Amino acid sequence: MATVSLMHPDAAAWFAKRTSSWRDWSLADLRRRKGDTRISVVLPALDEEPTVAEIVTGVRTLIPLVDEVIVVDSGSVDRTAEVARRAGAAVHHRDDILPETGSRPGKGEVLWKALAVATGDILVYVDADLTDFRPHFVTGLLGPLLEDPATLMVKAFYDRPLLDVSAAGGGRVTELAARPLLNAYFPELAGVVQPLAGEYAARRSLLESLPFAAGYGVETGLLIDTYRTAGLDAVAQVDLGQRTHGHQDTAALGRMAATILHTIHARVFPDRPTWPTLTQFERHGDTVTPADREVAHPDRPPMVTVAQYR
Ligand SMILES: O=c1ccn([C@@H]2O[C@H](COP(=O)(O)OP(=O)(O)O)[C@@H](O)[C@H]2O)c(=O)[nH]1
Ligand SMILES: O=C(O)[C@@H](COP(=O)(O)O)O[C@H]1O[C@H](CO)[C@@H](O)[C@H](O)[C@H]1O
């Protein structure tokens, strides 16, 4: 018996027509479709020495479909830059990109600055902490973009084991914060299986036109703003199978969830201020002390509005 979904009808229709699998596109097919479209793969990296080189090597097997592999160093203190460069990536430190704009902490900053050093018409963002990267992660994301000029962004989805804990359970902030909030405030996006997926591809023309939310809000901000400016059908999603990566502790994910909440709040209630810090608590011996962190930061403006941008 067909199950009736209670999803928003637009989300249900989108899910049915805009969901595909990486297996739908062969490398030969993509090479034919590439034409003169330049493709940059970008890895944001903060202290990813153990994993970054293998991912860079894996992406490089796709050259010449992929034109360049870029690692943007987010202020690493380990040997991320050295091992990435040795693996063949073009490595840029965030401080060296548009230095006149300063350098802010967080993932959104390096994804935004990547626009100023990447040369691709399409950018493919891949996290640098993946422990099971395979080249189909990139080819799957490119498929809908090389097939249909009306597609502007492609999000990955996958099963997400919680490494060393359980065969599922990954994507904790997705399941406990991002999905409930997006379903409540943007029900048309309810069909997006992994709204926080760090693997996604998009046209430069789209990315340059959008603000970049700070820190871990970047995926949420880009998804909402793409939907709002270009419509739901500008987005597609591709099943990549399974993805495993390094996991942060619960307190770190709490700060991530807070940043994502502020990113959504700023788009739903732009005139209603929020308290910009999150107070968590730490035990030191017999005492428990508050630990306050900034979790609400301004977006970076659309790159096309940045004077220094070429
Ligand atoms: O300030 C930051 C935080 C994260 N990252 C990178 O963004 C990706 C995703 O971050 P993380 O693994 O911390 O997030 P999670 O996957 O645990 O949600 C990884 O390649 C990080 O190295 C970054 O470049 N700068
Ligand atoms: O999806 C999630 O809940 C978080 C945390 O994942 P885990 O619970 O550590 O598997 O991971 C994602 O969220 C970040 C914020 O958007 C992205 O930057 C990461 O790429 C993505 O892994």
Side-chain angles (χ1 to χ4, degrees):
M1 184 179 98
T3 54
V4 176
S5 168
L6 298 179
M7 209 189 289
H8 187 290
D10 292 357
W14 177 86
F15 180 84
K17 68 184 169 184
R18 303 295 277 149
T19 300
S20 58
S21 164
W22 67 272
R23 300 179 193 280
D24 296 338
W25 290 278
S26 70
L27 190 51
D29 182 31
L30 293 174
R31 282 183 170 152
R32 270 195 307 278
R33 293 176 182 275
K34 172 185 169 74
D36 58 3
T37 304
R38 280 190 65 81
I39 297 165
S40 305
V41 176
V42 173
L43 282 68
L46 177 63
D47 297 327
E48 303 296 6
E49 176 183 348
T51 48
V52 67
E54 189 169 342
I55 300 167
V56 170
T57 303
V59 175
R60 283 176 51 82
T61 64
L62 295 173
I63 294 172
L65 172 67
V66 166
D67 295 281
E68 61 182 2
V69 187
I70 292 172
V71 169
V72 184
D73 187 341
S74 189
S76 301
V77 296
D78 67 3
R79 297 186 310 143
T80 293
E82 179 189 338
V83 299
R85 197 169 284 117
R86 199 179 306 137
V91 181
H92 300 266
H93 194 285
R94 68 174 180 198
D95 296 347
D96 301 331
I97 305 173
L98 298 178
E100 315 80 27
T101 64
S103 254
R104 299 177 185 175
K107 184 183 182 184
E109 179 78 352
V110 288
L111 297 188
W112 181 73
K113 285 199 167 183
L115 286 169
V117 291
T119 62
D121 306 299
I122 291 174
L123 278 75
V124 184
Y125 291 132
V126 175
D127 281 359
D129 69 332
L130 303 184
T131 51
D132 64 350
F133 174 82
R134 270 133 317 142
H136 79 251
F137 281 23
V138 172
T139 56
L141 290 170
L142 288 172
L145 286 165
L146 292 179
E147 180 181 75
D148 176 6
T151 300
L152 304 183
M153 174 184 281
V154 181
K155 290 290 290 189
F157 69 91
Y158 20 55
D159 297 341
R160 299 185 64 178
L162 197 54
L163 273 186
D164 308 327
V165 176
S166 64
R172 289 160 293 174
V173 175
T174 297
E175 302 307 336
L176 296 173
R179 195 185 310 287
L181 284 167
L182 288 171
N183 271 245
Y185 290 115
F186 298 96
E188 297 84 354
L189 291 174
V192 179
V193 179
Q194 288 294 343
L196 301 189
E199 289 66 48
Y200 48 110
R203 296 189 193 283
R204 169 183 293 277
S205 54
L206 171 75
L207 294 172
E208 288 178 338
S209 72
L210 297 179
F212 274 56
Y216 290 117
V218 61
E219 280 83 24
T220 307
L222 286 174
L223 180 60
I224 292 169
D225 294 344
T226 299
Y227 160 57
R228 281 178 146 178
T229 58
L232 202 48
D233 282 347
V235 183
Q237 62 183 355
V238 178
D239 186 356
L240 300 184
Q242 175 178 289
R243 177 248 211 185
T244 56
H245 65 113
H247 297 296
Q248 301 184 64
D249 62 40
T250 306
L253 297 185
R255 295 188 290 275
M256 178 188 290
T259 296
I260 289 167
L261 181 147
H262 284 280
T263 300
I264 294 174
H265 180 95
R267 285 158 173 79
V268 179
F269 307 107
D271 301 325
R272 190 166 148 199
T274 53
W275 192 260
T277 60
L278 173 70
T279 298
Q280 297 172 310
F281 294 89
E282 297 169 349
R283 172 176 289 282
H284 301 281
D286 292 337
T287 59
V288 171
T289 54
D292 307 319
R293 300 287 201 307
E294 289 277 347
V295 288
H297 308 280
D299 295 353
R300 279 293 198 176
M303 189 57 84
V304 289
T305 68
V306 175
Q308 301 91 332
Y309 184 53
R310 50 179 156 76

